Amino acid sequence: MSRAGWIRVSVVVAAVAAVELLCQGGIITRFTMIPPSEMVVALAGILTSGRLTPAIVRTLRIVGIALAASILVGFVLGALLHALPRVRRTVDPLFATYYAIPIYAFYPLFIVLFGLGDVPIIIIGFLLAVVAMIVSTLNGFDRIPRALLKTARIYRMGRVRTALQVMMPCAAPYIFTGVKLAIAYSFIGVIGAEFIMSGSGMGYEIAFAYNNFDNKVMYPLIMLVLVLVTIINMFLHFWEMILFERRRRG
Amino acid sequence: MAKGEAHVTLQGVTRVYPGVAGQQPVHALGPLDLELVKGEFFSVVGPSGCGKSTLLDVLAGLASVTDGAIRFEGVPIHGRVPDGIGVVFQEDASFPWLTVEDNIAFGLRQNSVEAGEVRRRVDHALSLMGLKDFIRAYPAQLSGGMRQRVCIARTLVLEPRLILLDEPFGSLDQQTRLLMGDELLRLWRETESTVLLITHALDEAAMLADRIGVMSARPGRFLEIVETGWPQDRDSRIVARPEFGRITGRLWSHLRVESLKALGQDRPPL
Ligand SMILES: Nc1ncnc2c1ncn2[C@@H]1O[C@H](COP(=O)(O)OP(=O)(O)OP(=O)(O)O)[C@@H](O)[C@H]1O
Ligand SMILES: [Mg+2]
């Protein structure tokens, strides 16, 4: 690991240790927070008892659906908009202001339209993630150097070959960034939506525990979400290094 | 050089970039007439922004002419790239996601050339361009000059009949330039292809070419076409000859005026 990496890990360890000491010393009361060590034990208990497994599985499934849809639709829309500059000029300003819209405000509307099931939650996760994917795809295609496209024409490659063998690999790092953002946004969207108005899922369980002052469930679940997202990010970072590191000027 | 068969002909070739979003159209090139003889080495010099790269684009069929006509091997080119043309661009056009080797082999694989033949040609080009030790390197790990060599190599492996080079040695130091010039001369003799080399280095043009087209400030036209009269088996040692000085002197007398125009100073400063 790099020096910066070690420093990063040390900071996290120190912060957790400090919280542990403050909790154990009674400076942070048990009504506010349980010590991190107890969170780990409680989390292990929750995971092994299987009590919350359906909620966890459900959330992951919904995130997965929202994510897959946003990556697919985002990429296709991004590629289409890139190919249709006139349409793009009209919708471009929308993207710039998109994340200023509080999408959760539309949640009641989605419930009216689609009922109380998974669909409104999937839609929120999708809507949060899809635009990041569109913008990243556009960004990637915009940055293809003109000389590379000219080279493809000198090689007399057709449109499909140019798209698959020149444009895609060239834009890949940006598209990958889009996927990373889409993962983060779909988690935020889905867990947030469950938190507000759902009757199941991890977000709901956290909110339920919170309303019942049940710190022994709430904190371990928060920890679980953090751990999950961290693992996914580390995995993505690893892949990014494998796929794109050699392309970077160093 | 002896008059041979016409390989490329340009008649009244003009290119005007249309003004987009309320901008004025830019008359970049021409009208311009030129005949490239099969197997000749033609060089183009001209002030910055006079339309040299534009000339290359229309010649390669990457851009269409606004007026006039271009024929390559008797067939009109209009905005479609014909078979048999290789181009080395002014900007770096190596594929950053491919190794040096795969970059060079890319065009051959596009044409479904058989693997053994790909191997043979790529190996040859690698040693020719001094890239043998960098086969598995990625462009990001190479210097600008080496990346340009990758681009030259990948053009050569396709054995084009017409090679267009846009300032290919722009990012090389003077010594390497001269040596790469020798290399280019050797390749040209070996492949018997027609070469059009765009350069801003007068000595490079004077040393390499059979004929040199001197372009005016934008819109670029040929002010004069200078014949060097060098023997076919020349190399960089001709820079020591007195004729060499005479030719570069002649090029500069044109270009001094045109370069000042391009800089917006029509009258030379005292
Ligand atoms: N896509 C374009 N749209 C509008 N104008 C353009 C475009 N490309 C080039 N031009 C203009 O056409 C003129 C000629 O450009 P070109 O790139 O052919 O010059 P050049 O002789 O190659 O210059 P340099 O020596 O700097 O490479 C310039 O004035 C340039 O601004
Ligand atoms: Mg140029």
Side-chain angles (χ1 to χ4, degrees), chain B:
Chain B
M1 98 170 294
K3 272 274 167 228
E5 180 192 341
H7 201 192
V8 185
T9 49
L10 291 82
Q11 278 173 339
V13 166
T14 307
R15 167 105 178 132
V16 179
Y17 288 101
V20 279
Q23 281 178 317
Q24 288 290 315
V26 179
H27 182 181
L29 185 72
L32 189 140
D33 297 309
L34 178 68
E35 191 161 292
L36 293 183
V37 179
K38 193 161 174 53
E40 89 167 308
F41 197 128
F42 192 90
S43 196
V44 176
V45 292
S48 184
C50 74
K52 302 184 295 294
S53 298
T54 304
L55 171 64
L56 178 133
D57 276 2
V58 292
L59 259 176
L62 290 167
S64 41
V65 292
T66 313
D67 201 7
I70 303 175
R71 282 171 173 272
F72 171 59
E73 298 176 343
V75 183
I77 297 177
H78 26 224
R80 262 196 82 244
V81 180
D83 181 41
I85 294 188
V87 180
V88 178
F89 293 102
Q90 187 169 16
E91 314 87 15
D92 170 30
S94 57
F95 294 145
W97 61 93
L98 295 179
T99 60
V100 166
E101 187 179 28
D102 289 337
N103 258 290
I104 298 175
F106 189 89
L108 294 169
R109 291 186 182 138
Q110 284 302 319
N111 294 344
S112 325
V113 174
E114 173 261 325
E117 178 67 7
V118 172
R119 203 36 304 129
R120 198 187 61 71
R121 289 203 212 175
V122 170
D123 277 345
H124 183 65
L126 279 167
S127 54
L128 216 64
M129 288 289 126
L131 293 165
K132 269 252 176 268
D133 296 336
F134 300 93
I135 296 181
R136 303 215 193 294
Y138 284 80
Q141 290 139 16
L142 305 178
S143 71
M146 284 160 83
R147 264 179 279 167
Q148 203 58 306
R149 261 144 60 194
V150 172
C151 292
I152 297 174
R154 77 169 177 197
T155 301
L156 292 178
V157 291
L158 291 170
E159 300 175 355
R161 302 186 293 284
L162 172 64
I163 306 178
L164 310 173
L165 304 115
D166 196 349
E167 310 241 4
F169 309 138
S171 49
L172 300 181
D173 58 273
Q174 183 67 19
Q175 296 89 298
T176 317
R177 276 177 98 99
L178 288 176
L179 295 179
M180 291 300 292
D182 280 339
E183 238 8 280
L184 190 58
L185 282 173
R186 211 160 58 74
L187 287 167
W188 165 64
R189 277 190 295 267
E190 220 174 77
T191 58
E192 296 174 355
S193 47
T194 308
V195 172
L196 182 130
L197 170 79
I198 294 169
T199 175
H200 61 251
L202 303 184
D203 54 345
E204 199 168 276
M207 156 188 149
L208 295 172
D210 294 314
R211 293 193 298 158
I212 304 154
V214 186
M215 270 174 109
S216 67
R218 185 174 70 82
R221 297 160 216 238
F222 287 123
L223 293 170
E224 190 189 351
I225 292 180
V226 179
E227 298 224 9
T228 59
W230 300 132
Q232 171 113 21
D233 60 348
R234 58 192 176 255
D235 64 29
S236 56
R237 281 171 297 187
I238 56 174
V239 298
R241 291 215 208 161
E243 304 98 288
F244 180 80
R246 231 188 40 241
I247 292 167
T248 46
R250 187 179 182 98
L251 297 177
W252 179 234
S253 66
H254 278 301
L255 279 179
R256 184 174 141 78
V257 179
E258 294 305 316
S259 302
L260 284 167
K261 275 190 205 159
L263 286 173
Q265 298 172 300
D266 284 29
R267 252 172 307 155
L270 295 173

Side-chain angles (χ1 to χ4, degrees), chain A residues 122-156:
Chain A
I122 294 174
I123 289 178
I124 291 223
F126 170 81
L127 285 178
L128 268 181
V130 74
V131 169
M133 189 64 199
I134 294 175
V135 171
S136 298
T137 305
L138 278 173
N139 196 13
F141 284 146
D142 286 347
R143 280 164 194 261
I144 300 173
R146 217 160 349 150
L148 266 51
L149 297 173
K150 282 186 182 177
T151 303
R153 291 179 58 196
I154 292 296
Y155 285 143
R156 295 151 59 86

Side-chain angles (χ1 to χ4, degrees), chain A residues 61-138:
Chain A
R61 201 190 75 228
I62 290 181
V63 168
I65 296 170
L67 178 64
S70 61
I71 290 174
L72 204 76
V73 174
F75 175 76
V76 171
L77 284 182
L80 274 177
L81 283 175
H82 179 80
L84 304 168
R86 276 156 174 273
V87 181
R88 179 177 174 183
R89 270 198 290 281
T90 43
V91 295
D92 240 356
L94 297 179
F95 295 145
T97 50
Y98 185 80
Y99 284 107
I101 302 168
I103 287 178
Y104 291 109
F106 296 105
Y107 194 46
L109 175 70
F110 296 148
I111 291 182
V112 171
L113 288 176
F114 303 108
L116 260 175
D118 298 347
V119 179
I121 303 178
I122 294 174
I123 289 178
I124 291 223
F126 170 81
L127 285 178
L128 268 181
V130 74
V131 169
M133 189 64 199
I134 294 175
V135 171
S136 298
T137 305
L138 278 173

